[in-house]
Amino acid sequence: MRAPIGPFGEARPAPDHLDELVGPVADAIRSWRGTVPAGRIVYVDTDPAIADTAAFVGHYGQELLDQSANCVIVAARRGGATALAACVIPSGARADINGAVRRRLDARKVSFAPMETAVERTGMEYGGITPIGLPADWPLLVDRAVVDTPYVLIGSGRRRGKLIAPGALLAELPGAEVIDGLAG
């Protein structure tokens, strides 16, 4: 099968290769009931040494920068409470955590969650965190530009491998809220 985007040698329907994914991601794809069929999620095997955005697009092609998204985990604080949330933004942008994210989460302060916290609470590897399979009770803020992308390259839950999914699918994930201007 040919990947819908990118120069990847081999692409496979993710539901047929759940063994390539971490537990929470595999479980989310296995139980998916959205209007966008899970069969449209594609898994591509990639080198974990170049999982970070700059190295990845340097190797696979600069055009992927406009067709990929990053999922970042943030810690929102208000009073004595801290809550985690996820933001999905175009890979070439930065999350507006002190503006749009802070206002949406009604937090006094928002910062990127510590790596150890993000890894432990998601069950995913740092550098491969994906919105598919995140805890269902977390807010999932998705930039409209990502949702409007026909196919978007995202993490697979591991540094090895990526998922390619219709952008519209991300708007249907548990806790998802599509926000204009999430990326600052």
Side-chain angles (χ1 to χ4, degrees):
M1 159 182 212
R2 180 153 174 75
I5 60 172
F8 305 103
E10 183 180 349
R12 300 172 285 189
D16 296 343
H17 296 278
L18 298 177
D19 58 324
E20 301 285 345
L21 307 171
V22 296
V25 178
D27 291 345
I29 292 172
R30 185 180 300 110
S31 65
W32 180 249
R33 299 291 178 260
T35 62
V36 178
R40 292 186 60 199
I41 305 170
V42 175
Y43 175 81
V44 292
D45 189 38
T46 58
D47 183 349
I50 56 171
D52 297 323
T53 302
F56 191 86
V57 299
H59 180 80
Y60 288 104
Q62 193 66 31
E63 70 280 357
L64 286 175
L65 191 60
D66 295 329
Q67 300 171 316
S68 61
N70 289 328
C71 182
V72 295
I73 308 302
V74 297
R77 293 175 191 79
R78 182 159 193 83
T82 299
L84 296 178
C87 301
V88 182
I89 54 169
S91 289
R94 291 177 173 260
D96 181 13
I97 63 170
N98 292 312
V101 175
R102 185 180 60 77
R103 284 189 301 274
R104 174 53 196 93
L105 297 176
D106 192 29
R108 189 168 115 0
K109 180 178 172 136
V110 175
S111 58
F112 294 107
M115 178 180 66
E116 299 80 21
T117 301
V119 167
E120 179 183 321
R121 297 286 302 276
T122 64
M124 301 179 201
E125 293 178 7
Y126 187 75
I129 294 175
T130 184
I132 298 173
L134 289 174
D137 60 341
W138 285 13
L140 174 60
L141 310 180
V142 185
D143 191 281
R144 175 155 318 276
V146 174
V147 173
D148 291 345
T149 303
Y151 276 92
V152 64
L153 181 83
I154 55 177
S156 68
R158 300 172 49 212
R159 287 186 63 84
R160 167 168 232 109
K162 299 284 184 185
L163 297 176
I164 300 172
L169 181 140
L170 302 183
E172 296 185 31
L173 291 171
E177 179 179 346
V178 179
I179 299 178
D180 291 311
L182 183 62

